[in-house]
């Protein structure tokens, strides 16, 4: 997924205006959080258009709305959540409270920033991304791979949690005999303690853009019982592409 | 509006009082923006909750809103996410709204055309910008 200058500009404008598909929204969110140049472009467009808001006359929200918000965000605590580290690898902004209010959570990736264009990247260094979806949007799985740490960060959106099973991540590589398990997306690997479906873990193989396909299957607890591939249904697949 | 900077600063330290003060001062404006974009009281209230919950949850983050413009941008982004993920306003915007950046780049004084103004504020373009029937594919 390498975007030209014009494509990035068009994506940024569509992102700010809202004339955007749910898939492109996820991509734009990921770019905004990981690509400083794209974030700068979005910020410039937002700053340019922001004065238009001044002309909108105020409108009072209903009484009691703030009480509702306070009940939602801090049912038993007087303190805001403390963040251990806002810059470290794999850090995810703990937006569980906000996400719980969204019917279909929009995805927001918070990974180490991409290098700027002045620091050329090799293919081996570039972060890679796979967008996995089934036929019935908006269920989505976004996986970002960082070659430096050989870790993936996966975020599942609107995907129900299996009561009696685990999701398993698979690598399907051109030329290989069969799928290779990259690990389980289960509670032990959840990177946040806020109940959101975010997972961070190291994988045993380097991913290659374009040559690799990722898949997520629903398996019995503990994963597929065979090394040959999924036993359960494959729910999501997606091509690995440069972020 | 600079008087609000103090509340934004206090909010970074997790002050609920600051959140309450910010809500009092900004809610009528933010709610108006959301209502204009969403055109529905219930949806506007839902996104209001998301915006101020996000403001609180992310209050320690380096990129947390620190002024009214950034709070507006957060509200606008959350409204867009809500619209797109709930498929509320499938749009066809005019090319004038979608290609507003001149070849030599965006500058603060780059003019905002009417189509872009309405697309940004209301998620649509003026009726006059819609393609005429004779120009639409399959309607010749």
């Amino acid at each position: 997924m390498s975007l030209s200058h014009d494509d990035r500009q068009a994506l940024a404008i569509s992102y700010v205006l809202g004339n955007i598909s749910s898939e492109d929204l996820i991509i734009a969110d990921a770019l905004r959080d990981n690509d400083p140049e794209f974030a700068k472009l979005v910020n410039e467009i937002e700053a340019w258009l922001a004065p238009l808001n001044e002309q909108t006359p105020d409108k009072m929200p209903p009484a009691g709305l703030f009480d509702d918000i306070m009940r939602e965000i801090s049912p038993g605590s007087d303190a805001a959540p403390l963040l251990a580290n806002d810059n470290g690898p794999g850090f995810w902004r703990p937006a569980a409270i906000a996400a719980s209010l969204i019917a279909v959570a929009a995805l927001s990736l918070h990974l180490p920033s991409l290098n700027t264009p002045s620091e050329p990247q090799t293919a081996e260094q570039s972060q890679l991304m796979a967008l996995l979806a089934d036929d019935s949007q908006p269920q989505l799985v976004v996986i970002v791979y960082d070659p430096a740490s050989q870790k993936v960060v996966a975020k599942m959106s609107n995907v129900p949690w299996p009561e009696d099973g685990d999701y398993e991540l698979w690598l399907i590589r051109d030329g290989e005999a069969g799928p290779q398990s990259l690990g389980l997306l289960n509670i032990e690997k959840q990177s946040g303690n806020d109940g959101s479906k975010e997972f961070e873990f190291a994988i045993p193989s380097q991913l290659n853009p374009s040559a690799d396909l990722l898949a997520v299957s629903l398996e019995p607890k503990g994963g597929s019982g065979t090394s040959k591939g999924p036993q359960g249904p494959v729910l999501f697949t997606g091509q690995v592409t440069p972020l | 509006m600079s008087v609000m900077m103090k509340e934004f600063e206090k909010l970074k330290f997790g002050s609920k009082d600051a959140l309450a003060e910010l809500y009092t001062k900004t809610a009528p404006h933010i709610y108006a923006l959301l209502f204009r974009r969403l055109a529905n009281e219930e949806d506007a209230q839902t996104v209001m909750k998301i915006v101020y919950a996000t403001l609180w949850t992310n209050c320690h983050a380096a990129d947390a809103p620190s002024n009214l413009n950034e709070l507006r941008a957060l509200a606008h982004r959350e409204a867009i996410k809500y619209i797109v993920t709930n498929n509320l306003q499938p749009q066809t915007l005019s090319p004038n709204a979608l290609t507003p950046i001149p070849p030599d780049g965006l500058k603060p004084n780059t003019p905002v055309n009417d189509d872009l103004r309405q697309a940004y504020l209301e998620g649509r373009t003026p009726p006059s910008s819609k393609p005429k029937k004779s120009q639409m594919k399959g309607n010749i």
Side-chain angles (χ1 to χ4, degrees):
Chain A
M1 188 189 62
S2 295
L3 296 177
S4 69
H5 173 77
D6 287 351
D7 287 343
R8 290 163 70 86
Q9 199 170 80
L11 180 63
I13 291 164
S14 294
Y15 181 62
V16 173
L17 294 183
N19 182 50
I20 191 168
S21 69
S22 55
E23 284 187 10
D24 284 351
L25 179 65
I26 291 167
I27 292 167
D29 259 342
L31 283 173
R32 192 176 71 85
D33 289 331
N34 294 288
D35 182 337
E37 291 251 319
F38 186 79
K40 182 169 177 278
L41 179 59
V42 169
N43 288 343
E44 284 175 355
I45 296 171
E46 286 179 339
W48 175 47
L49 297 177
L52 298 177
N53 290 310
E54 303 277 4
Q55 300 160 9
T56 303
D58 285 357
K59 179 176 174 65
M60 287 303 294
L65 188 60
F66 185 67
D67 292 338
D68 291 344
I69 293 168
M70 294 307 289
R71 272 193 293 274
E72 293 278 357
I73 64 178
S74 54
S77 167
D78 283 336
L82 290 173
L83 306 188
N85 180 356
D86 195 25
N87 299 312
F91 172 76
W92 293 80
R93 187 181 297 170
I97 296 162
S100 71
L101 299 169
I102 304 172
V104 179
L107 302 183
S108 184
L109 304 177
H110 298 268
L111 292 167
S113 294
L114 296 174
N115 292 336
T116 61
S118 59
E119 300 170 287
Q121 296 176 316
T122 65
E124 292 73 25
Q125 292 170 327
S126 299
Q127 289 182 319
L128 305 175
M129 173 182 181
L131 185 65
L132 285 61
D134 69 356
D135 294 334
S136 59
Q137 297 291 356
Q139 288 191 349
L140 286 169
V141 180
V142 173
I143 294 174
V144 175
Y145 169 65
D146 181 15
S149 62
Q150 208 165 328
K151 284 184 174 179
V152 294
V153 177
K155 182 154 185 172
M156 306 178 90
S157 173
N158 205 33
V159 178
W161 194 257
E163 288 186 7
D164 192 26
D166 281 327
Y167 292 119
E168 188 160 2
L169 181 63
W170 298 90
L171 167 62
I172 302 159
R173 175 166 290 166
D174 282 351
E176 298 280 330
Q180 176 191 356
S181 175
L182 297 180
L184 299 177
L185 303 175
N186 62 10
I187 197 161
E188 285 78 21
K189 292 196 177 74
Q190 275 189 285
S191 55
N193 57 5
D194 52 11
S196 57
K197 297 191 189 79
E198 301 159 2
F199 312 88
E200 179 184 358
F201 55 99
I203 58 173
S205 294
Q206 292 275 354
L207 298 185
N208 297 324
S210 303
D212 288 348
L213 191 74
L214 295 183
V216 173
S217 65
L218 177 60
E219 301 294 341
K221 282 284 184 192
S224 173
T226 170
S227 59
K228 294 179 180 175
Q231 282 183 307
V234 174
L235 304 178
F236 305 94
T237 59
Q239 187 74 45
V240 176
T241 62
L243 182 61
Chain B
M1 290 298 181
S2 61
V3 68
M4 269 187 277
M5 298 295 284
K6 189 171 66 177
E7 279 75 38
F8 279 108
E9 279 302 310
K10 284 165 62 181
L11 185 63
K12 286 184 184 295
F13 293 93
S15 164
K16 271 187 181 174
D17 289 345
L19 181 68
E21 288 177 46
L22 274 176
Y23 182 87
T24 301
K25 290 178 178 174
T26 61
H29 182 60
I30 298 298
Y31 189 65
L33 302 184
L34 293 176
F35 181 72
R36 185 167 186 179
R37 196 65 168 77
L38 293 158
N40 177 290
E41 294 267 7
E42 190 178 339
D43 291 337
Q45 289 165 29
T46 300
V47 180
M48 277 288 279
K49 291 178 185 176
I50 294 170
V51 169
Y52 286 93
T54 301
L55 186 64
W56 173 252
T57 307
N58 292 342
C59 65
H60 304 287
D63 61 349
S66 58
N67 57 51
L68 181 60
N69 263 346
E70 291 176 4
L71 179 59
R72 283 174 180 148
L74 170 66
H76 195 82
R77 278 197 299 273
E78 294 300 342
I80 298 296
K81 287 178 186 176
Y82 186 82
I83 289 166
V84 173
T85 53
N86 291 286
N87 200 25
L88 296 180
Q89 293 177 3
Q91 299 173 335
T92 303
L93 300 183
S94 84
N96 283 343
L98 291 171
T99 53
I101 300 180
D104 59 342
L106 190 62
K107 297 178 176 59
N109 60 352
T110 300
V112 178
N113 64 56
D114 288 343
D115 287 1
L116 177 59
R117 183 191 313 276
Q118 198 162 344
Y120 175 70
L121 293 173
E122 299 174 13
R124 57 193 173 90
T125 46
S128 60
S129 297
K130 289 180 181 173
K132 293 175 182 174
K133 273 195 171 181
S134 60
Q135 296 173 326
M136 293 171 69
K137 191 176 179 182
N139 282 294
I140 297 175

